[in-house]
Amino acid sequence: MPEIVFLPDHVSVKVSAGTSIQEAGRSAGLLLDAPCGGHGLCGKCKVRVGKQEVLACQYQMEEDVTVILPEAPKSTGILANGMESGFAVFPVKEGDCHISVDIGTTTVVVYLLDGKSGRILGSESMLNPQYPYGADVISRIQAAENGELDVQCQKIRRGIEDLVHTLCGKYKKAPEKIGTMAIVGNPAMQQIFLKIDPENLSHPPFAPAIKNLVREKLSDYFMDMTGGVLLTIPDIAGFIGADTMGCVLSTGMYKEDKITLMIDIGTNGEMVLGNKDRMVACSTAAGPALEGGRISCGMRGGPGAVDHIWMEDDTVCSSVIGWRETLKKGSSVPDVEVQGLCGSGLIDAIAVMLDLGILNRRGRIQKAYYGDEKNRIYAVTDHFSDTRGYQGSADGERSHCSGD
């Protein structure tokens, strides 16, 4: 059996011949990024074998090898703060504190609430630890269907448990005194958390398994949280989950006379349109456009990501996460390390390029570009950037919307 050694941590594991580096990494307990789910499409799982750079998901080992891994994904800029709505909270079980969890495909946010007032005391967030199984919902479902349901379930439960313990320690709360923990997410994330096979979401009519409120002992999922109740909020339909229900409730659009459009742009994006009389909803895979799944220089909102681009005195300016100074195109800033563009940076880039007449309405780069006629690239930060994948993702969003 070939032995593979992963550097720089010197982790080794023996695997069967023909095993990919990606699979070997999972066997060794390493979290190797795989935005496309290991299908060899995104080109973002590159590692080094000797002097050769290869894709971890495609390179199959027939003999002993040493693999040099890139730096692990850094902490991302996760939006965890927001306004508190006037929606009344009535916990199913009283306690010294309560927990609210939003399981996103890319990020997980946990909120600690005061047991008496319901006021948010604090929040903690993290990348969803299931990311080695793909950046999008479909890849996670496919991984579960291929025997990875249990490991994905355990990863998300351990991740939530760690965040809860961090919050309890910070605010001097005892885990066993948590009264109610409420979980929301898209249907796939909720089913994986509950270890329910998401096979129902892989084919029409994509009917969710969680159609009613699930109420269970919290200790069945987290051993030291012995006094609480776990509530899993029911999904709406298809890929429109309980997180969308939370948005509808918090905005109050369900009781308004006027027509309101609510948009939740995430890895799995949702829109709800309506008022107190009727609401309609649809969902789409927004992640490839906003998280770099199909963008050659795209990435999550972490250190080194260009997150904003704007015009200032006829000069294209940008900001980079982790760097305080403004970058101006044409000015050399040797110390800054630009890794790529995250979703907000991509949207800004397209807006600026439209204003400058560089892009036409079809998304075609018209001038001031590098490359040839077929592959036109415009540099927004004196580093190459590519908006063609964004356009393709945006087109995909329009073509894949479906009403419920």
Side-chain angles (χ1 to χ4, degrees):
M1 297 177 69
E3 181 178 25
I4 178 171
V5 178
F6 292 97
L7 300 179
D9 296 329
H10 295 279
V11 175
S12 63
V13 63
K14 290 187 176 182
V15 296
S16 301
T19 301
S20 71
I21 294 175
Q22 182 77 47
E23 294 169 325
R26 292 176 185 170
S27 298
L30 299 173
L31 299 180
L32 306 186
D33 210 359
C36 69
H39 298 294
L41 301 175
C42 67
K44 297 192 176 182
C45 63
K46 293 178 181 178
V47 298
R48 188 167 293 280
V49 177
K51 296 182 178 180
Q52 183 183 9
E53 194 173 57
V54 301
L55 296 181
C57 68
Q58 300 297 303
Y59 187 93
Q60 297 180 337
M61 295 170 295
E62 302 295 338
E63 58 185 6
D64 294 353
V65 295
T66 297
V67 176
I68 302 175
L69 300 177
E71 187 176 354
K74 298 178 181 179
S75 59
T76 57
I78 300 173
L79 180 62
N81 297 322
M83 65 178 185
E84 295 189 46
S85 71
F87 188 77
V89 177
F90 301 100
V92 170
K93 184 172 182 180
E94 299 295 338
D96 184 47
C97 60
H98 306 292
I99 297 291
S100 176
V101 182
D102 183 359
I103 305 176
T105 311
T106 301
T107 59
V108 180
V109 183
V110 174
Y111 298 90
L112 178 68
L113 285 71
D114 182 77
K116 293 182 179 180
S117 67
R119 181 175 59 88
I120 296 176
L121 300 177
S123 64
E124 290 289 334
S125 59
M126 66 185 299
L127 278 178
N128 189 318
Q130 299 164 347
Y131 70 80
Y133 300 92
D136 60 279
V137 173
I138 301 303
S139 295
R140 306 278 176 85
I141 293 173
Q142 291 174 340
E145 290 297 283
N146 292 327
E148 303 287 358
L149 174 60
D150 184 68
V151 66
Q152 288 193 78
C153 173
Q154 294 306 315
K155 284 183 179 296
I156 188 59
R157 290 185 187 181
R158 283 198 297 267
I160 292 172
E161 186 174 39
D162 289 344
L163 294 181
V164 171
H165 284 167
T166 299
L167 280 169
C168 286
K170 186 180 294 186
Y171 293 93
K172 304 296 188 294
K173 301 291 184 181
E176 64 270 18
K177 292 186 178 180
I178 295 172
T180 302
M181 177 186 289
I183 300 274
V184 300
N186 65 60
M189 295 302 99
Q190 288 191 290
Q191 288 187 214
I192 291 174
F193 170 80
L194 295 174
K195 203 158 69 172
I196 298 174
D197 189 342
E199 184 273 340
N200 56 297
L201 300 172
S202 64
H203 55 78
F206 309 106
I210 307 169
K211 299 178 181 179
N212 298 297
L213 182 71
V214 178
R215 176 175 174 171
E216 298 176 284
K217 291 181 179 179
L218 189 55
S219 58
D220 289 346
Y221 293 82
F222 307 104
M223 291 182 61
D224 63 343
M225 303 178 199
T226 54
V229 170
L230 176 71
L231 295 181
T232 305
I233 312 303
D235 297 313
I236 298 174
F239 285 94
I240 305 171
D243 50 348
T244 302
M245 178 62 74
C247 291
V248 169
L249 292 174
S250 63
T251 59
M253 62 181 293
Y254 65 96
K255 54 186 178 183
E256 295 287 340
D257 291 317
K258 62 182 180 181
I259 298 294
T260 301
L261 174 64
M262 188 282 294
I263 304 176
D264 180 5
I265 304 176
T267 308
N268 188 61
E270 299 91 6
M271 291 185 284
V272 180
L273 177 69
N275 59 5
K276 66 179 183 180
D277 298 318
R278 181 172 181 254
M279 288 184 285
V280 293
C282 65
S283 66
T284 183
L290 299 177
E291 293 158 6
R294 291 177 57 190
I295 315 295
S296 61
C297 61
M299 62 180 291
R300 300 184 184 102
V306 176
D307 61 343
H308 289 295
I309 299 171
W310 67 95
M311 291 298 299
E312 186 176 300
D313 297 328
D314 297 325
T315 300
V316 178
C317 300
S318 58
S319 62
V320 179
I321 296 176
W323 182 258
R324 295 182 179 180
E325 297 181 29
T326 295
L327 301 186
K328 294 187 177 182
K329 188 176 180 181
S331 299
S332 176
V333 185
D335 294 331
V336 68
E337 185 176 355
V338 179
Q339 300 289 335
L341 284 86
C342 63
S344 58
L346 286 165
I347 293 171
D348 281 355
I350 290 172
V352 167
M353 292 166 72
L354 282 170
D355 288 343
L356 293 176
I358 293 169
L359 276 184
N360 64 18
R361 292 185 178 275
R362 296 174 58 87
R364 179 73 168 169
I365 297 177
Q366 298 296 299
K367 60 183 181 180
Y369 58 84
Y370 297 90
D372 53 33
E373 285 299 307
K374 185 177 180 181
N375 299 291
R376 300 182 176 188
I377 302 171
Y378 174 72
V380 294
T381 63
D382 294 321
H383 293 261
F384 285 153
S385 62
D386 181 358
T387 63
R388 291 165 299 154
Y390 183 88
Q391 182 192 19
S393 296
D395 290 341
E397 285 188 45
R398 288 192 290 272
S399 63
H400 290 295
C401 280
S402 57
D404 287 271

